[in-house]
């Protein structure tokens, strides 16, 4: 079960401490830059599409099973699987984004909270509607 | 970037050919059976919760970049990243489910289209609402 990077996030976010916790909390627009070998897999994606980007949160600890939600010590600890903490046994990030533009292997998206350089491992249509159309 | 299984799907679905394509298309209820080592990570999950289960689709081809959506040859081929095909470079499945009951390391969920024995790699709160609460 080995993941191969299919691309990389290019973002002004470089610092974990200043990154927003979720994409809808002030995250900047960013580029998804895909490997030449997978560009054929992008065909059919167009501006306005809502996608889920799956990333490998390479700066997260993998040995954490309980966290204070949103790192707020006033909130009781919970199991990581009940939260969206990046710290978890398999640190896969799910990021709902909207496609702004496409330039060959580069896709510009709105509101991505992943840090610059984060590996991309998959992209899928969004989950919340039209699920049986895909 | 190596995934470690955190559990396994236990389901009456054993045959890829007869499995529904999406959970909302007649998939059966199933058990998520977690490894003892990660059970602390489940704390806070309760019946009625809507979760996303991430699986490793271990029977999918990884060298496919273009498919006919829903395996329908009358539909034009598209890039796999514009579809929910299990065949893709990193075959991670996203399954929205509702929790029915919990019995220690076993969580019963509604409408899961993953096959019996599929490795589970992560579980998260659902994406479509209350995102900033998690």
């Amino acid at each position: 079960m080995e993941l191969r990077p299919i691309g990389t996030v290019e973002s002004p976010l470089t610092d974990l401490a200043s990154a927003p916790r979720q994409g809808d909390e002030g995250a900047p627009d960013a580029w998804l830059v895909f490997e030449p070998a997978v560009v054929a897999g992008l065909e059919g994606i167009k501006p306005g599409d809502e996608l889920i980007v799956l990333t490998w949160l390479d700066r997260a600890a993998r040995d954490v099973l309980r966290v204070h939600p949103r790192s707020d010590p006033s909130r009781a600890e919970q199991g990581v699987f009940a939260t969206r903490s990046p710290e978890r046994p398999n640190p896969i990030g799910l990021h709902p984004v909207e496609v702004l533009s496409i330039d060959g292997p580069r896709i510009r998206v709105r509101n991505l909270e992943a840090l610059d350089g984060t590996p991309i491992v998959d992209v899928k249509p969004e989950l919340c509607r039209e699920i049986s159309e895909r």
Side-chain angles (χ1 to χ4, degrees), chain A:
Chain A
M1 299 182 8
E2 191 170 322
L3 296 172
R4 306 167 194 154
I6 62 167
T8 308
V9 171
E10 208 176 276
S11 167
L13 284 180
T14 55
D15 175 17
L16 201 55
S18 63
R21 292 184 187 284
Q22 304 296 338
D24 58 357
E25 297 176 7
D29 300 345
W31 288 103
L32 312 178
V33 184
F34 291 89
E35 301 288 336
V38 304
V39 166
L42 301 174
E43 192 183 320
I45 294 176
K46 53 190 189 311
D49 282 359
E50 309 259 352
L51 303 176
I52 299 179
V53 179
L54 287 79
T55 61
W56 182 253
L57 302 169
D58 54 351
R59 277 154 275 195
R62 301 186 65 174
D63 57 352
V64 173
L65 287 174
R66 293 164 54 84
V67 292
H68 296 284
R70 297 178 62 79
S71 304
D72 177 350
S74 75
R75 293 179 67 171
E77 276 196 347
Q78 282 201 312
V80 288
F81 303 126
T83 79
R84 295 176 52 78
S85 167
E87 305 195 324
R88 52 208 313 122
N90 293 305
I92 299 170
L94 297 188
H95 313 273
V97 298
E98 181 191 341
V99 174
L100 295 173
S101 62
I102 301 172
D103 180 11
R106 299 168 60 85
I107 297 186
R108 182 86 175 156
V109 299
R110 193 189 297 280
N111 293 2
L112 180 62
E113 80 278 21
L115 295 182
D116 187 57
T118 300
I120 301 167
V121 296
D122 200 7
V123 171
K124 296 180 194 288
E126 54 97 10
L127 278 176
C128 306
R129 48 181 174 158
E130 294 177 64
I131 194 168
S132 19
E133 295 302 304
R134 313 297 182 140

